[in-house]
Amino acid sequence: MGSRQEPGRLLTAVALFVCIWDAALSTPWAYQQHYYAAVKPKVPKAAFNNQRQYSVAQTKQALAQPLMWTFPEDPVQAVKPETSTFELKQPLPANTVGVRCGNNQVRVEVKRDLFAIGQLILPSDLTLGGCAAIGEDVEAQRLNFESDLQGCNSKLEMTEEFLTYSFKLIYQPSPIGSTPVIRTSQTVVDIECYYTRRNNLSSSALKPSWLSFADSKVAEENLYFSLRLMTDNWQLMRKSSHYFLGERIHVEAGVLPYLRVFVDHCVATLTPDRNTEPRYTFIENYGCLVDAVLTDSTSQFLPRSQDHMLQFYLEAFRFKPQNTSSGSNRKTGQDVDRIYITCHLKATAASSPSDAQHKACSFVDVWRAVDGDDEVCSCCDSSCTTRTARDVSIDTDVQWEADAVLGPIYIH
């Protein structure tokens, strides 16, 4: 029994060994090791060194033809053609005003199509220094104006060689119909007449002993008053009429030599018409400069350097904007910084002393007269219209009078 079992045990052991060996050969690591050993032959060291030398000896292979391809350029935005710069079309001057200067008068002819745009203006909207047209040529659609050289608020300027009379042709458009609409602009056209100065007059010709009222008016046409803006040092006529608020406006009134000039009264307005509103009278009562009293300013007359000249300065001011209704023209509010100064000037013989109606008084703590006699200024706080016996005894009936206008003066 024992002898039969030994061969069986031997066969079992052999079969177990075979299974273990087969399992060992079937594992991955065993397979890879076996495969590597099978496919990777050993290379002699000498052969490896020869391969390295061969690699170093290699050269760069050249192209048969040069490479023509390049990177594409960045896209460029197309430039738009330049357009011409826009310019506002400027209106061309219209040849619609004609002037004839005579010895004693000026004649102005104005087409009703004032702006040459095919639109006729109303005759009532156009004046020559406040004077209306004297007639109209209906067929030619032309307005006619006439004025004496000293009329219609003219302004006289004198140089060593010439006398210049200046007028202003003023167009103030009125609303169309019952609407508040206007389609033309307010316009001021400057008109000037030049005359060569005559020879100097003798003193005797300028000192008549007595003149009636009628003779005084005739003599007024032979005298030349002036009112002009001066520089700060009073040496030259000021070229600019622009001032800032509070700046001093230097004004010089003049007349021919051998006479004494006075500034009777002055009023500032927004237009050349001294009767318009708003208006501000800063010299009144026959030569009292009341601006210093009313506004606490430093405005005053300067001491006389010559009898035929009188200088004063006025602190620049502006009118308060006017309240306008919704349907009214806003011109007043727009022109508040442009003023006109109208002064009534008088001249007497230089030998005549000052009196209550022929004086120049400034308020500097008290009233002072530029000619030294402060007593004539005592009426500045009341009324100087009543002449005293002292005034009547003086030869003051020998006098000449005229109005002079300055402007426009621009206040910034």
Side-chain angles (χ1 to χ4, degrees):
M1 186 73 176
S3 58
R4 293 180 179 178
Q5 291 181 347
E6 290 181 358
R9 291 178 179 176
L10 181 62
L11 292 175
T12 302
V14 172
L16 180 61
F17 177 79
V18 171
C19 290
I20 294 172
W21 177 255
D22 184 65
L25 293 178
S26 62
T27 58
W29 59 270
Y31 175 77
Q32 290 178 0
Q33 184 177 8
H34 176 74
Y35 177 78
Y36 177 80
V39 301
K40 186 175 180 181
K42 293 183 179 180
V43 180
K45 185 175 182 179
F48 179 75
N49 292 335
N50 293 337
Q51 184 178 2
R52 290 187 59 188
Q53 294 177 0
Y54 178 78
S55 300
V56 172
Q58 288 183 346
T59 59
K60 183 178 180 180
Q61 184 179 2
L63 296 175
Q65 294 181 354
L67 184 62
M68 303 300 295
W69 182 87
T70 60
F71 284 98
E73 297 181 357
D74 295 336
V76 178
Q77 186 177 2
V79 179
K80 297 182 180 180
E82 296 184 359
T83 57
S84 57
T85 304
F86 174 77
E87 294 183 0
L88 184 64
K89 185 177 179 181
Q90 299 295 327
L92 298 176
N95 186 20
T96 56
V97 179
V99 180
R100 295 179 183 177
C101 298
N103 292 331
N104 300 313
Q105 288 185 329
V106 59
R107 180 180 177 86
V108 182
E109 297 181 352
V110 185
K111 294 181 180 180
R112 288 191 60 189
D113 187 7
L114 179 61
F115 300 99
I117 58 175
Q119 183 175 347
L120 302 183
I121 65 173
L122 296 176
S124 58
D125 292 345
L126 187 67
T127 63
L128 180 65
C131 300
I134 63 171
E136 178 182 357
D137 187 340
V138 179
E139 183 177 354
Q141 295 182 340
R142 184 183 297 120
L143 300 175
N144 300 320
F145 296 85
E146 281 187 1
S147 171
D148 295 334
L149 293 180
Q150 294 85 13
C152 295
N153 291 310
S154 66
K155 176 183 175 183
L156 173 64
E157 294 182 2
M158 295 185 295
T159 63
E160 294 182 358
E161 298 180 358
F162 297 100
L163 299 173
T164 305
Y165 286 91
S166 302
F167 296 83
K168 293 190 179 295
L169 188 67
I170 305 169
Y171 171 65
Q172 294 179 327
S174 55
I176 301 174
S178 59
T179 71
V181 175
I182 59 173
R183 289 197 169 95
T184 51
S185 301
Q186 177 180 344
T187 302
V188 178
V189 180
D190 293 323
I191 297 174
E192 295 181 342
C193 291
Y194 296 89
Y195 299 88
T196 303
R197 293 194 65 170
R198 300 174 181 175
N199 296 330
N200 291 334
L201 300 177
S202 63
S203 60
S204 59
L206 295 176
K207 291 184 179 180
S209 58
W210 245 163
L211 281 180
S212 65
F213 177 80
D215 292 334
S216 175
K217 290 300 181 182
V218 174
E220 176 184 340
E221 297 182 357
N222 297 324
L223 291 173
Y224 301 107
F225 291 91
S226 67
L227 189 67
R228 55 183 185 171
L229 299 175
M230 302 296 292
T231 56
D232 292 347
N233 59 5
W234 300 97
Q235 298 299 315
L236 300 172
M237 183 175 176
R238 197 176 195 267
K239 295 181 179 180
S240 173
S241 58
H242 291 258
Y243 294 87
F244 291 96
L245 280 174
E247 187 178 359
R248 290 179 176 179
I249 303 175
H250 294 77
V251 181
E252 181 181 88
V255 72
L256 291 181
Y258 314 111
L259 296 177
R260 179 176 294 174
V261 66
F262 297 95
V263 180
D264 195 72
H265 56 268
C266 287
V267 61
T269 55
L270 294 174
T271 68
D273 185 358
R274 62 183 179 184
N275 297 317
T276 57
E277 295 290 344
R279 58 199 304 265
Y280 174 53
T281 302
F282 57 90
I283 298 180
E284 62 181 8
N285 218 356
Y286 302 100
C288 300
L289 207 165
V290 296
D291 182 66
V293 178
L294 298 177
T295 66
D296 197 25
S297 70
T298 60
S299 303
Q300 59 182 283
F301 287 104
L302 271 66
R304 283 189 193 270
S305 58
Q306 301 180 62
D307 285 331
H308 68 282
M309 290 192 301
L310 182 60
Q311 299 168 336
F312 67 90
Y313 63 80
L314 173 72
E315 290 188 9
F317 66 92
R318 294 176 63 180
F319 285 102
K320 179 181 179 180
Q322 302 298 300
N323 294 326
T324 57
S325 60
S326 58
S328 62
N329 193 339
R330 294 180 295 174
K331 173 181 67 63
T332 301
Q334 295 172 349
D335 295 344
V336 68
D337 58 345
R338 183 177 66 184
I339 65 173
Y340 295 82
I341 294 177
T342 303
C343 293
H344 185 70
L345 307 180
K346 287 182 179 180
T348 64
S351 58
S352 299
S354 301
D355 60 39
Q357 295 186 2
H358 300 86
K359 62 185 185 298
C361 300
S362 303
F363 186 81
V364 185
D365 297 329
V366 295
W367 287 105
R368 302 288 187 184
V370 298
D371 296 315
D373 186 4
D374 295 340
E375 184 181 350
V376 299
C377 302
S378 59
C379 62
C380 284
D381 289 327
S382 54
S383 175
C384 301
T385 56
T386 303
R387 300 182 66 179
T388 63
R390 174 181 178 274
D391 298 331
V392 175
S393 64
I394 300 173
D395 185 11
T396 54
D397 288 336
V398 184
Q399 68 175 27
W400 298 264
E401 302 179 39
D403 288 336
V405 182
L406 279 176
I409 299 173
Y410 298 92
I411 310 298
H412 298 275

